[in-house]
Amino acid sequence: MDDGAAILHVDMDAFYASVEVLLDPSLKGKAVIVGGRGARGVVAACSYEARMYGVHSAMPSGRASRLCPHAVFLAPRFDQYGEFSHRIHEVFLRYTPLVEGISLDEAFLDVRGSIRLFGSGPTIGHAIRTAIAEEIGLPASVGVATTKFLAKLASEAAKPSADRRGIKPGAGVFVVEPGTELAFLHPLPVRALWGVGPATYKKLATLGVDTVGDLAATPLATLVGVLGDAIGHHLHELSWARDPRRVEPDRPVKSVSHEETYAVDLHTIAALSTEALRLSDGVASRLRKAELAGRTITVKVRFHDFNTITRSRTLPEPVNDALVIARTANELLESIDPGPGVRLLGVGVSNLAHGAASQLSLLEEGSTSTGAVVDRIRGRFGSAAVGPASLLERRNSRVNPAPPR
DNA sequence: TCTGGGGTCCTATTCCTA
DNA sequence: TCTGTAGGAATAGGACCC
């Protein structure tokens, strides 16, 4: 059965910035940069007007404001973006139940089963793009192909572009027709492939590989020798447009973490300990909201010189209580020396299981504040209503502070 | 010009147990 | 009991993605 190109990749254009413009139309046509403002902040998203000046996401905010001094800087409002993301998702579901969300602003759709009802893959791609624009008011680009990674590359090809000379509108929908995959793929730079970052690119460059075509012409054994078994095979397959990955609608969450970069380095165990409790509290309440609990607690420490270490411990039972997570985190932190300065601290929980956590450790501690009670109080009186006592009276100077309510 | 935050996956090593 | 080994789980780090 040949369904033609029927895997879609939908990617919102400059998503966070576009939402901000939609919520405040006076921003339309302006250079809008969404991201952390402080000395250690970075750009999370920016409008095409800002991209004309060379600004792009992940760029340090300081550099962005030097490149584009007149830009409007905004703190991210993830709750808003999440709501729009949800509405966009509902549009997708009108066309197929096979929707795999990748992030707030992009998703894969398998529409092979919807062709009789709605028309070909490209037809559905156009319909979805139009629906998002007309019903929600946001711009999106759509790639249509026979495999996920080609659809992803196609949506990239459909996007607008911006440089000093101005903004060039994109095609909106780009289709890689069956039979034309290699002609589309092989001229592209290898860097465009999913999974080729700075480190892998450097290794490939030593082999003289610059385009996907070069990669395809490189013997598999050579690739495996340089990149390892998994990545070598994977990239070789992709270079020949072979990608067996299916669109998976319900991918389970594997870990939940919370980390923060501080505007000023932390130098004492006491400071780390207080922060670990706060981060653990955030992770714990998210776990409970998702009805998850996990056995492995990981702390992440980034020192002033950017050297980063992790330390983890696996508990006998899954937990989702802030005090238990924090206690474990603090035990892990005992072995590290914050003297030289810690710029980032993170707490994560993995090895997740669904359902209620064991309350054993809590009861053993004789604690009276269970997570469920904390959640109920917060549900009624707000998130600041209750929390660990040692966090009271404490306002940290963070790089990306939460926006005011 | 210094590098966010939230994730996933892969690899190497170590440790424990059969 | 000693030794070797095979395999799984835990641990740490790194690369990559948006």
Coordinates of all heavy atoms in Angstrom, one line a residue, chain A residues 252-312:
Chain A
P252 N 6.0 7.6 27.5 CA 6.0 7.8 28.9 C 7.1 8.7 29.4 O 8.2 8.7 28.7 CB 6.2 6.4 29.5 CG 6.8 5.6 28.5 CD 6.4 6.2 27.2
V253 N 6.9 9.5 30.4 CA 7.9 10.4 31.0 C 9.0 9.5 31.7 O 8.6 8.6 32.4 CB 7.3 11.4 32.0 CG1 8.4 12.2 32.6 CG2 6.3 12.2 31.3
K254 N 10.2 9.8 31.4 CA 11.3 9.0 32.0 C 11.9 9.6 33.2 O 12.6 9.0 34.1 CB 12.4 8.7 31.0 CG 11.8 8.0 29.7 CD 12.2 6.5 29.7 CE 11.5 5.8 28.6 NZ 12.3 5.7 27.4
S255 N 11.9 10.9 33.3 CA 12.5 11.6 34.4 C 11.9 13.0 34.6 O 11.3 13.5 33.7 CB 14.0 11.8 34.2 OG 14.3 12.6 33.1
V256 N 12.0 13.5 35.8 CA 11.5 14.8 36.1 C 12.6 15.6 36.9 O 13.1 15.0 37.9 CB 10.2 14.8 37.0 CG1 9.8 16.2 37.4 CG2 9.1 14.1 36.2
S257 N 13.0 16.7 36.4 CA 14.1 17.4 37.1 C 13.8 18.9 37.2 O 13.0 19.5 36.5 CB 15.4 17.1 36.4 OG 15.4 17.7 35.1
H258 N 14.6 19.5 38.0 CA 14.5 21.0 38.2 C 15.9 21.5 38.5 O 16.6 20.9 39.3 CB 13.6 21.2 39.4 CG 12.9 22.6 39.4 ND1 12.7 23.3 38.2 CD2 12.5 23.4 40.4 CE1 12.1 24.5 38.5 NE2 12.0 24.5 39.8
E259 N 16.3 22.5 37.7 CA 17.7 23.0 37.9 C 17.7 24.5 37.7 O 16.8 25.0 37.1 CB 18.7 22.3 36.9 CG 18.4 22.6 35.5 CD 19.3 21.8 34.5 OE1 19.4 20.6 34.7 OE2 19.9 22.5 33.7
E260 N 18.7 25.1 38.3 CA 18.7 26.6 38.3 C 20.2 27.1 38.2 O 21.0 26.6 38.9 CB 18.0 27.2 39.4 CG 16.9 28.1 39.0 CD 15.8 28.2 40.0 OE1 16.2 28.6 41.2 OE2 14.7 28.0 39.7
T261 N 20.4 28.1 37.4 CA 21.6 28.8 37.3 C 21.5 30.0 38.2 O 20.5 30.8 38.0 CB 22.0 29.1 35.9 OG1 22.2 27.9 35.2 CG2 23.3 29.9 35.8
Y262 N 22.4 30.3 39.0 CA 22.3 31.4 39.9 C 23.1 32.6 39.4 O 24.2 32.4 38.8 CB 22.8 31.0 41.3 CG 22.0 29.9 41.9 CD1 22.5 28.6 41.8 CD2 20.7 30.1 42.4 CE1 21.7 27.5 42.2 CE2 20.0 29.0 42.8 CZ 20.5 27.7 42.7 OH 19.7 26.7 43.1
A263 N 22.6 33.8 39.6 CA 23.2 35.0 39.1 C 24.6 35.1 39.8 O 25.5 35.7 39.3 CB 22.3 36.2 39.4
V264 N 24.6 34.7 41.1 CA 25.8 34.7 41.9 C 26.2 33.3 42.4 O 25.3 32.6 42.9 CB 25.7 35.7 43.1 CG1 26.9 35.7 43.9 CG2 25.3 37.1 42.6
D265 N 27.4 32.9 42.2 CA 27.8 31.5 42.6 C 27.5 31.3 44.1 O 27.6 32.1 45.0 CB 29.3 31.3 42.4 CG 29.6 31.2 40.9 OD1 28.7 31.2 40.1 OD2 30.8 31.3 40.6
L266 N 27.1 30.0 44.4 CA 27.0 29.6 45.8 C 28.3 29.0 46.2 O 29.0 28.3 45.5 CB 25.9 28.5 45.8 CG 24.5 28.8 45.2 CD1 23.6 27.6 45.3 CD2 23.9 30.0 45.8
H267 N 28.6 29.3 47.5 CA 29.9 28.8 48.0 C 29.9 27.9 49.3 O 30.9 27.5 49.7 CB 30.8 30.0 48.3 CG 31.3 30.8 47.1 ND1 32.4 30.4 46.4 CD2 30.7 31.8 46.4 CE1 32.5 31.2 45.3 NE2 31.5 32.1 45.4
T268 N 28.7 27.8 49.8 CA 28.6 27.0 51.1 C 27.7 25.8 50.9 O 26.7 25.8 50.2 CB 28.1 27.9 52.2 OG1 26.8 28.3 51.9 CG2 29.0 29.1 52.4
I269 N 27.9 24.8 51.7 CA 27.1 23.6 51.8 C 25.7 24.0 52.3 O 24.7 23.5 51.8 CB 27.7 22.6 52.8 CG1 28.8 21.8 52.1 CG2 26.6 21.6 53.2 CD1 28.4 20.8 51.1
A270 N 25.6 25.0 53.2 CA 24.3 25.5 53.7 C 23.5 26.0 52.6 O 22.3 25.8 52.5 CB 24.5 26.5 54.8
A271 N 24.1 26.8 51.7 CA 23.4 27.4 50.6 C 22.9 26.3 49.6 O 21.8 26.3 49.2 CB 24.3 28.4 49.8
L272 N 23.8 25.4 49.3 CA 23.4 24.3 48.5 C 22.2 23.5 49.0 O 21.3 23.1 48.3 CB 24.6 23.3 48.3 CG 25.8 23.8 47.4 CD1 26.7 22.6 47.2 CD2 25.3 24.3 46.1
S273 N 22.3 23.3 50.4 CA 21.3 22.5 51.0 C 19.9 23.2 51.0 O 18.9 22.5 50.7 CB 21.7 22.3 52.5 OG 20.8 21.5 53.2
T274 N 19.9 24.5 51.2 CA 18.6 25.2 51.1 C 18.1 25.2 49.7 O 16.9 24.9 49.5 CB 18.9 26.7 51.5 OG1 19.5 26.8 52.7 CG2 17.6 27.4 51.5
E275 N 18.9 25.3 48.7 CA 18.5 25.3 47.3 C 18.0 23.9 46.9 O 17.0 23.7 46.2 CB 19.6 25.8 46.4 CG 19.8 27.3 46.4 CD 18.5 28.0 46.1 OE1 18.0 27.8 45.0 OE2 18.1 28.8 46.9
A276 N 18.7 22.9 47.4 CA 18.4 21.5 47.1 C 16.9 21.2 47.6 O 16.2 20.5 46.9 CB 19.3 20.5 47.7
L277 N 16.6 21.8 48.8 CA 15.3 21.6 49.3 C 14.2 22.3 48.4 O 13.2 21.7 48.1 CB 15.2 22.1 50.7 CG 13.9 22.1 51.4 CD1 13.4 20.6 51.4 CD2 14.0 22.6 52.9
R278 N 14.5 23.5 48.0 CA 13.6 24.2 47.1 C 13.4 23.5 45.8 O 12.3 23.3 45.3 CB 14.1 25.6 46.9 CG 13.1 26.6 46.4 CD 13.6 28.0 46.3 NE 14.8 28.1 45.5 CZ 14.8 28.0 44.2 NH1 13.7 27.9 43.5 NH2 16.0 28.1 43.5
L279 N 14.5 23.0 45.2 CA 14.4 22.3 43.9 C 13.6 21.0 44.1 O 12.8 20.6 43.3 CB 15.8 22.0 43.4 CG 16.6 23.3 43.0 CD1 18.1 23.0 42.7 CD2 16.0 24.0 41.7
S280 N 13.9 20.3 45.2 CA 13.3 19.0 45.5 C 11.8 19.2 45.6 O 11.0 18.4 45.2 CB 13.8 18.4 46.8 OG 15.2 18.1 46.7
D281 N 11.4 20.3 46.3 CA 10.0 20.7 46.5 C 9.3 20.8 45.1 O 8.2 20.3 44.9 CB 9.9 22.0 47.3 CG 8.5 22.2 47.8 OD1 7.8 21.2 48.1 OD2 8.1 23.4 47.8
G282 N 10.0 21.5 44.2 CA 9.4 21.7 42.8 C 9.3 20.4 42.1 O 8.2 20.1 41.5
V283 N 10.3 19.5 42.2 CA 10.3 18.2 41.5 C 9.2 17.4 42.1 O 8.4 16.7 41.4 CB 11.6 17.5 41.6 CG1 11.5 16.1 41.1 CG2 12.7 18.3 40.8
A284 N 9.1 17.4 43.4 CA 8.1 16.5 44.1 C 6.7 16.9 43.7 O 5.9 16.0 43.5 CB 8.3 16.6 45.6
S285 N 6.4 18.2 43.7 CA 5.0 18.5 43.4 C 4.7 18.2 42.0 O 3.5 17.8 41.7 CB 4.7 20.0 43.8 OG 5.4 20.8 43.0
R286 N 5.6 18.3 41.1 CA 5.4 18.0 39.7 C 5.1 16.4 39.5 O 4.3 16.0 38.8 CB 6.5 18.4 38.8 CG 6.3 19.9 38.4 CD 7.6 20.5 37.8 NE 8.1 19.7 36.6 CZ 9.3 19.7 36.2 NH1 10.2 20.4 36.8 NH2 9.6 19.0 35.2
L287 N 5.9 15.7 40.3 CA 5.8 14.2 40.3 C 4.4 13.9 40.7 O 3.7 13.0 40.1 CB 6.8 13.6 41.2 CG 8.2 13.4 40.6 CD1 9.2 13.0 41.7 CD2 8.3 12.5 39.5
R288 N 3.9 14.5 41.8 CA 2.6 14.1 42.4 C 1.5 14.5 41.5 O 0.5 13.8 41.3 CB 2.4 14.8 43.8 CG 3.3 14.2 44.8 CD 2.9 14.6 46.2 NE 3.0 16.0 46.4 CZ 4.0 16.7 46.9 NH1 5.1 16.0 47.3 NH2 4.0 18.0 47.1
K289 N 1.7 15.7 40.8 CA 0.7 16.1 39.9 C 0.5 15.1 38.7 O -0.6 14.9 38.2 CB 1.1 17.5 39.3 CG -0.1 18.3 38.7 CD 0.3 19.7 38.4 CE -0.8 20.4 37.6 NZ -0.3 21.7 37.1
A290 N 1.6 14.5 38.3 CA 1.6 13.5 37.2 C 1.4 12.1 37.8 O 1.4 11.2 37.0 CB 2.9 13.6 36.5
E291 N 1.1 12.0 39.1 CA 0.9 10.7 39.7 C 2.1 9.8 39.4 O 1.9 8.6 39.0 CB -0.4 10.1 39.3 CG -1.6 11.0 39.7 CD -2.9 10.4 39.4 OE1 -3.0 9.5 38.4 OE2 -3.9 10.7 40.0
L292 N 3.3 10.3 39.6 CA 4.5 9.5 39.4 C 5.3 9.6 40.7 O 5.2 10.5 41.5 CB 5.3 10.1 38.3 CG 4.7 10.0 36.9 CD1 5.5 10.9 35.9 CD2 4.7 8.6 36.4
A293 N 6.2 8.6 40.8 CA 7.2 8.5 41.8 C 8.4 7.8 41.3 O 8.3 7.1 40.3 CB 6.7 7.8 43.1
G294 N 9.6 8.1 41.8 CA 10.8 7.6 41.2 C 11.8 7.1 42.3 O 11.8 7.5 43.4
R295 N 12.6 6.2 41.9 CA 13.6 5.6 42.8 C 14.9 6.2 42.8 O 15.7 6.1 43.8 CB 13.7 4.1 42.5 CG 12.5 3.2 42.9 CD 12.7 1.8 42.5 NE 14.0 1.3 43.1 CZ 14.8 0.3 42.6 NH1 14.4 -0.2 41.5 NH2 15.9 0.0 43.2
T296 N 15.3 6.8 41.6 CA 16.7 7.3 41.5 C 16.7 8.8 41.6 O 16.0 9.5 40.9 CB 17.3 6.9 40.2 OG1 17.2 5.4 40.0 CG2 18.8 7.3 40.1
I297 N 17.5 9.3 42.6 CA 17.6 10.7 42.9 C 19.0 11.1 42.3 O 20.0 10.5 42.6 CB 17.6 11.0 44.4 CG1 16.4 10.3 45.1 CG2 17.5 12.6 44.6 CD1 15.1 10.6 44.6
T298 N 19.0 12.2 41.5 CA 20.3 12.7 40.9 C 20.5 14.1 41.3 O 19.5 14.9 41.1 CB 20.3 12.5 39.4 OG1 20.0 11.1 39.1 CG2 21.6 12.9 38.8
V299 N 21.6 14.5 41.7 CA 21.9 15.9 41.8 C 23.0 16.3 40.8 O 23.8 15.4 40.4 CB 22.5 16.3 43.2 CG1 21.5 16.1 44.3 CG2 23.8 15.6 43.5
K300 N 22.8 17.5 40.3 CA 23.8 18.0 39.2 C 24.4 19.3 39.7 O 23.7 20.1 40.3 CB 22.9 18.2 38.0 CG 23.7 18.8 36.8 CD 22.7 18.8 35.6 CE 23.2 19.7 34.5 NZ 22.3 19.7 33.3
V301 N 25.7 19.3 39.6 CA 26.4 20.5 40.1 C 27.3 21.1 39.0 O 28.1 20.3 38.4 CB 27.3 20.2 41.3 CG1 28.1 21.4 41.8 CG2 26.4 19.7 42.5
R302 N 27.1 22.3 38.6 CA 28.0 23.0 37.7 C 28.8 24.0 38.4 O 28.3 24.9 39.0 CB 27.1 23.6 36.6 CG 27.9 24.4 35.6 CD 27.8 23.9 34.2 NE 26.5 24.2 33.6 CZ 25.8 23.5 32.7 NH1 26.3 22.4 32.3 NH2 24.7 23.9 32.3
F303 N 30.1 23.8 38.3 CA 31.0 24.7 39.0 C 31.3 26.0 38.2 O 30.8 26.1 37.1 CB 32.3 24.0 39.3 CG 32.2 22.9 40.3 CD1 32.1 21.6 39.8 CD2 32.1 23.1 41.7 CE1 31.9 20.5 40.7 CE2 32.0 22.0 42.5 CZ 31.9 20.7 42.1
H304 N 31.9 27.0 38.9 CA 32.1 28.3 38.2 C 32.8 28.1 36.9 O 32.6 28.9 36.0 CB 33.0 29.2 39.2 CG 34.4 28.7 39.3 ND1 34.7 27.5 39.8 CD2 35.6 29.3 38.9 CE1 36.1 27.4 39.8 NE2 36.6 28.5 39.2
D305 N 33.7 27.1 36.7 CA 34.4 26.9 35.5 C 33.6 26.1 34.4 O 34.2 25.7 33.4 CB 35.8 26.3 35.7 CG 35.7 24.9 36.3 OD1 34.5 24.4 36.6 OD2 36.7 24.2 36.5
F306 N 32.4 25.9 34.8 CA 31.4 25.1 33.9 C 31.6 23.6 33.9 O 30.9 22.9 33.2 CB 31.5 25.6 32.4 CG 30.2 25.9 31.8 CD1 29.3 26.9 32.3 CD2 29.7 25.0 30.8 CE1 28.1 27.1 31.7 CE2 28.4 25.2 30.3 CZ 27.6 26.2 30.7
N307 N 32.6 23.2 34.6 CA 32.8 21.7 34.9 C 31.5 21.2 35.6 O 31.1 21.8 36.5 CB 34.0 21.5 35.7 CG 34.2 20.0 35.9 OD1 33.9 19.2 35.1 ND2 34.7 19.6 37.1
T308 N 30.9 20.1 35.1 CA 29.7 19.7 35.6 C 29.8 18.2 36.0 O 30.3 17.4 35.3 CB 28.6 19.8 34.5 OG1 28.6 21.1 34.0 CG2 27.2 19.5 35.0
I309 N 29.3 17.9 37.2 CA 29.2 16.6 37.7 C 27.8 16.2 38.1 O 27.0 17.0 38.4 CB 30.2 16.3 38.9 CG1 29.7 17.2 40.1 CG2 31.6 16.6 38.5 CD1 30.4 16.8 41.4
T310 N 27.5 14.9 38.1 CA 26.3 14.4 38.7 C 26.6 13.3 39.7 O 27.6 12.6 39.6 CB 25.4 13.8 37.6 OG1 26.0 12.6 37.0 CG2 25.0 14.8 36.5
R311 N 25.7 13.2 40.7 CA 25.8 12.1 41.7 C 24.4 11.6 41.9 O 23.4 12.4 42.0 CB 26.3 12.7 43.0 CG 27.8 13.2 43.0 CD 28.7 12.0 42.7 NE 30.1 12.4 42.6 CZ 30.7 12.7 41.5 NH1 30.1 12.5 40.3 NH2 32.0 13.1 41.4
S312 N 24.3 10.3 41.9 CA 22.9 9.7 42.0 C 22.9 8.5 43.0 O 23.9 7.9 43.3 CB 22.4 9.3 40.6 OG 23.3 8.3 40.1

